[in-house]
Amino acid sequence: EKGGYDHFMLKEIHEQPQAISDTYRGRLLADKGIIKMGSVDNNIAKFLNAKRIIVVACGTSWHAGLVGEYLLEDLARIPVEVEYASEFRYRNPIINKGDIVIAISQSGETADTLAAIKLAKSKGAFVFGICNVVGSSIARETDSGAYTHAGPEIGVASTKAFTTQITLLALMALKLGNLNGELSNSKFHDYLQKMSMIPGKIEQLLNINSEIEKIAAIYKDAPNCLYLGRGYNFPVALEGALKLKEISYIHAEGYPAAEMKHGPIALIDESMPVVVIATKKGHYDKVVSNIQEIKSRNGKIIAIVTEGDTIVKEIADHVIEIPETEEAFTPLLTTIPLQLLSYHIAVMRGCNVDQPRNLAKSVTVE
Ligand code: M6R
């Protein structure tokens, strides 16, 4: 059942190239230069007239929502707010006519997300669901929606659900951006081609598993770990930290790299590993200065860089290379080594990777 892997989590990490292809199968028609999404097409006027999109979700799905914010604002120029469902539902939120609520949930059963949807509907919002589990409560409760088609995710730590949620949000952002004139046809076509190359690039990345295992062995006993990223990769830093804490029980925090100076830098000493996402384009020079600041305080740097990087390689203690792609798609690649890193650390610490203590796969109570 685990397909020869020791754990479901490892199997599901390796399934990502297939899962992402399944998400865009029949939707991303790169050669024809179109994105077909029935549920978006059927509601296209609502999407194109939306003054604002509010994303509601919890945990990893909330992190996918944050990547969605960058995608939808950058590519389609639609204002987006991303809310924890648990806060949104109790805050007496302002929902205006013409707002669209997107609810994201792997299981489709998360109590807070479901309650946020019901509240939004009662205030007259159009609610669109992004779910993995077919026929789930959230899939049924939403006005319309799209399935990620990632296949069953058994490990409590969400992996392929996250990258397929991002894939779907990217398809929506590209489609809407092209239709509302923010994204020229040539740029749009270029994005479609690059998106269709993502599964192959993840396949390539998965080959560095043993390299990551070596890094894991060095840091497996660290009591704390910091994750930094900027722009599109800020949410990936949050997700990397969540993955480490939930399965290895190491205290980890994710931060936007520039916020380091406003507090977390005080934590840095020779025993603090810092995972930094420093891909090309994504405010690279600024992230390089953050890395220098950490090194001058003797912190240990594990950097995720773009293939062929030379500058960070000089300063970081370890570098993990990801293949080149559009900046907007880098979260789909930078996430992979972070999943593997937390997986190997958790295994080395003897933790129950697939069923971490105190956690349930779907949180059906608030
Ligand atoms: O099923 P959902 O996507 O609604 O679940 C939301 C969170 O409970 C979930 O992502 C949780 O944070 C994961 N265990 C993270 O790996």
Side-chain angles (χ1 to χ4, degrees):
E1 44 167 15
K2 292 184 196 141
Y5 292 99
D6 290 344
H7 298 93
F8 282 110
M9 183 183 178
L10 190 61
K11 172 174 179 262
E12 289 157 7
I13 290 173
H14 280 83
E15 279 170 353
Q16 287 174 111
Q18 186 60 48
I20 290 174
S21 315
D22 290 344
T23 302
Y24 68 56
R25 169 161 317 112
R27 291 170 170 156
L28 173 78
L29 307 175
D31 295 340
K32 292 196 182 142
I34 44 175
I35 291 177
K36 248 179 34 189
M37 283 183 74
S39 51
V40 176
D41 289 317
N42 294 340
N43 296 288
I44 199 65
K46 289 193 183 82
F47 276 102
L48 293 180
N49 295 324
K51 298 265 176 312
R52 177 172 74 142
I53 291 176
I54 305 168
V55 178
V56 295
C58 302
T60 289
S61 296
W62 183 77
H63 294 155
L66 286 179
V67 178
E69 175 179 20
Y70 284 83
L71 287 163
L72 286 157
E73 293 201 344
D74 186 21
L75 304 174
R77 309 300 299 152
I78 303 170
V80 178
E81 279 165 38
V82 187
E83 306 259 5
Y84 285 116
S86 56
E87 287 299 312
F88 179 82
R89 64 181 286 203
Y90 287 120
R91 209 190 50 227
N92 191 14
I94 298 166
I95 302 170
N96 298 313
K97 201 167 170 286
D99 285 345
I100 290 184
V101 171
I102 299 183
I104 308 177
S105 174
Q106 187 288 128
S107 63
E109 301 298 341
T110 301
D112 281 321
T113 309
L114 194 54
I117 292 166
K118 289 184 176 153
L119 175 70
K121 277 176 71 180
S122 75
K123 301 214 173 199
F126 170 71
V127 186
F128 188 92
I130 294 183
C131 293
N132 189 39
V133 177
V134 175
S136 56
S137 304
I138 292 177
R140 284 182 279 117
E141 193 63 39
T142 40
D143 296 308
S144 181
Y147 286 116
T148 47
H149 298 304
E153 190 183 66
I154 311 290
V156 164
S158 189
T159 53
K160 61 177 180 171
F162 179 64
T163 45
T164 55
Q165 288 162 346
I166 294 174
T167 302
L168 212 45
L169 289 160
L171 293 180
M172 291 173 73
L174 291 169
K175 183 177 173 72
L176 296 174
N178 185 236
L179 288 175
N180 71 14
E182 293 292 345
L183 207 58
S184 69
N185 281 337
S186 68
K187 196 81 193 110
F188 177 68
H189 291 168
D190 197 41
Y191 272 111
L192 301 196
Q193 291 297 339
K194 299 251 172 69
M195 171 59 88
S196 66
M197 290 162 75
I198 291 291
K201 292 186 186 215
I202 296 181
E203 205 74 70
Q204 183 187 333
L205 251 178
L206 289 166
N207 291 331
I208 59 170
N209 191 24
S210 57
E211 229 175 275
I212 295 174
E213 218 173 333
K214 285 186 202 133
I215 302 174
I218 301 173
Y219 296 105
K220 68 178 180 21
D221 296 317
N224 297 288
C225 189
L226 203 55
Y227 286 74
L228 304 176
R230 282 184 92 123
Y232 276 105
N233 284 291
F234 154 54
V236 176
L238 298 183
E239 172 60 9
L242 174 60
K243 219 89 296 177
L244 187 69
K245 67 187 126 187
E246 87 176 313
I247 61 170
S248 76
Y249 318 141
I250 293 175
H251 171 236
E253 282 195 66
Y255 257 94
E259 273 293 305
M260 194 180 67
K261 293 189 185 59
H262 302 281
I265 197 163
L267 291 167
I268 298 193
D269 63 14
E270 62 291 339
S271 65
M272 177 65 110
V274 186
V275 178
V276 187
I277 304 157
T279 45
K280 283 272 163 63
K281 291 182 206 146
H283 317 282
Y284 180 74
D285 297 341
K286 294 189 175 87
V287 178
V288 170
S289 353
N290 294 138
I291 294 176
Q292 276 152 343
E293 286 154 10
I294 298 163
K295 276 322 292 175
S296 66
R297 288 159 184 84
N298 301 318
K300 299 283 184 295
I301 302 278
I302 303 158
I304 315 292
V305 299
T306 310
E307 225 164 38
D309 179 283
T310 50
I311 300 170
V312 174
K313 229 175 235 167
E314 287 291 307
I315 14 180
D317 298 86
H318 315 273
V319 292
I320 298 167
E321 293 192 336
I322 63 143
E324 173 100 57
T325 185
E326 280 292 335
E327 189 186 349
F329 301 153
T330 53
L332 295 169
L333 303 182
T334 52
T335 298
I336 311 295
L338 303 191
Q339 294 170 342
L340 287 168
L341 184 66
S342 42
Y343 171 78
H344 289 300
I345 290 180
V347 169
M348 287 171 193
R349 288 166 70 93
C351 298
N352 186 344
V353 173
D354 283 335
Q355 282 184 300
R357 67 186 183 202
N358 311 338
L359 280 169
K361 182 65 183 162
S362 5
V363 183
T364 52
V365 290
E366 62 171 299

